[in-house]
Amino acid sequence: MRPSLIVHGGAWDIPDGAVAACQAGCRRALQAGWEILLSGGHALDALEAAIIVLEDDPVFDAGYGSHLNLDGQVECDAIVMDAATLRAGSVAGLHRVKNPVRAARAVLEKCPHMMLISDGAERFAQEHGVPMCDPADLISPAEKEAWLRCRADSHAAEHHRGHEQGTVGAVALDESGRFFAATSTGGTCCKLPGRVGDSPLIGCGCYADGETGGVSSTGYGEAIMKVVMAKTAADFLRPSSSTPTRAAQAAVQLLANRTKATGGLILLDKNGNPGFAFNTPRMAYGFVNADASFITAV
Ligand code: ASP
């Protein structure tokens, strides 16, 4: 089987000044994951490596540099899903996990449940060797400054360099046919403490099914949940007349028609063919082309 990898760094009104950084981040994520896939490695390792690069990059809203909630804290959500078993590992409301995707993976591989939140999720992650951090270590200077401006004035996208979203995601297929999707986010800026969006919810922020494909969504979570966007996009891959691009576009169109909201998604169909769509001004994404070259765009 030909391996395949696609990543995204969020669909939002990415300002001109952040375009190069978003594109470079997607490229580094592809490099990290592709190296593993090329050497015959496991899709889950490739996916995790790609997402960690994006989580560690403060230009994206996941892990370090996530948006702060109203209380000025980072609260992260993440999910990993296995297309073969339809099993997911999902975590929400994390303050102390350096790379939330690692906690999601621990739930996927070692937990009898599929979703853990808050203290229980952190305790489980710690018990399973996931690196922890001080909550302050997840706060970037830029997001702290944005939060202070929102607090002094009122919440506004302009205070966040024009962006309100920047969730990250990836879908990976390895040469043995192992197939996983993942999404990781700090959620929306100035969210109420305890708010959970679409990202860690199976079928909304992420879905993977070996009969259809793997999907990671981004955009306004409260709207994406209404149309269960990731599962919907995967189902749009079912008709034989469908293509990855058409399925992605149809799901984003549904989001627009039914909720008037904006967002985007990336996907791989069950054979590893990439597709993406967004109705935001921009989306940061990248995938490995059939000739093994990296395509990245914002
Ligand atoms: N979907 C995420 C959320 O609502 C935000 C994003 O995609 O950037 O939490």
Side-chain angles (χ1 to χ4, degrees):
M1 194 131 207
R2 187 173 63 81
S4 191
L5 180 64
I6 187 166
V7 302
H8 76 80
W12 37 287
D13 192 0
I14 300 173
D16 291 345
V19 165
C22 287
Q23 204 163 344
C26 287
R27 178 163 286 272
R28 279 199 310 278
L30 285 178
Q31 272 157 356
W34 193 241
E35 204 177 284
I36 293 170
L37 292 175
L38 260 194
S39 60
H42 199 297
L44 191 49
D45 292 331
L47 192 76
E48 186 183 60
I51 296 276
I52 285 173
V53 167
L54 298 167
E55 286 180 340
D56 288 345
D57 188 333
V59 80
F60 303 115
D61 173 28
Y64 174 64
S66 286
H67 292 319
L68 307 191
N69 67 14
L70 264 189
D71 288 348
Q73 287 189 313
V74 165
E75 266 181 334
C76 291
D77 309 327
I79 180 170
V80 178
M81 185 161 175
D82 182 347
T85 61
L86 300 181
R87 203 182 135 66
S90 166
V91 287
L94 305 183
H95 298 107
R96 299 190 302 123
V97 176
K98 185 170 178 304
N99 290 107
V101 70
R102 289 192 199 273
R105 180 176 180 169
V107 173
L108 174 74
E109 294 185 313
K110 298 169 185 158
C111 185
H113 310 303
M114 296 224 298
M115 183 171 196
L116 295 177
I117 62 161
S118 195
D119 293 348
E122 290 181 347
R123 198 187 320 155
F124 181 86
Q126 191 163 18
E127 282 167 8
H128 290 84
V130 173
M132 308 299 282
C133 65
D134 192 292
D137 295 344
L138 295 173
I139 301 177
S140 69
E143 284 304 320
K144 182 67 185 267
E145 198 186 310
W147 179 79
L148 286 171
R149 281 207 218 125
C150 290
R151 203 176 56 159
D153 181 0
S154 62
H155 165 66
E158 300 77 68
H159 298 327
H160 295 264
R161 293 165 291 146
H163 82 268
E164 299 217 45
Q165 282 116 12
T167 291
V168 308
V171 188
L173 172 69
D174 69 27
E175 65 177 29
S176 305
R178 294 170 296 209
F179 193 9
F180 292 82
T183 303
S184 178
T185 189
T188 47
C189 45
C190 298
K191 65 187 179 183
L192 286 175
R195 178 261 188 193
V196 177
D198 62 301
S199 303
L201 303 184
I202 188 168
C204 297
C206 181
Y207 200 69
D209 180 351
E211 287 189 0
T212 53
V215 184
S216 174
S217 315
T218 170
Y220 186 56
E222 281 70 9
I224 291 172
M225 286 188 256
K226 288 181 181 173
V227 297
V228 197
M229 191 161 79
K231 169 77 160 74
T232 300
D235 285 343
F236 284 154
L237 287 165
R238 276 188 197 278
S240 54
S241 58
S242 182
T243 67
T245 301
R246 268 192 232 138
Q249 285 172 344
V252 171
Q253 192 61 52
L254 182 75
L255 176 77
N257 292 347
R258 297 293 285 120
T259 74
K260 311 285 174 249
T262 55
L265 63 88
I266 54 164
L267 60 81
L268 293 181
D269 73 9
K270 63 183 177 190
N271 299 312
N273 299 306
F276 60 87
F278 52 98
N279 65 348
T280 44
R282 283 172 166 155
M283 180 168 83
Y285 62 93
F287 57 92
V288 183
N289 216 3
D291 65 2
S293 61
F294 291 176
I295 309 288
T296 57
V298 172

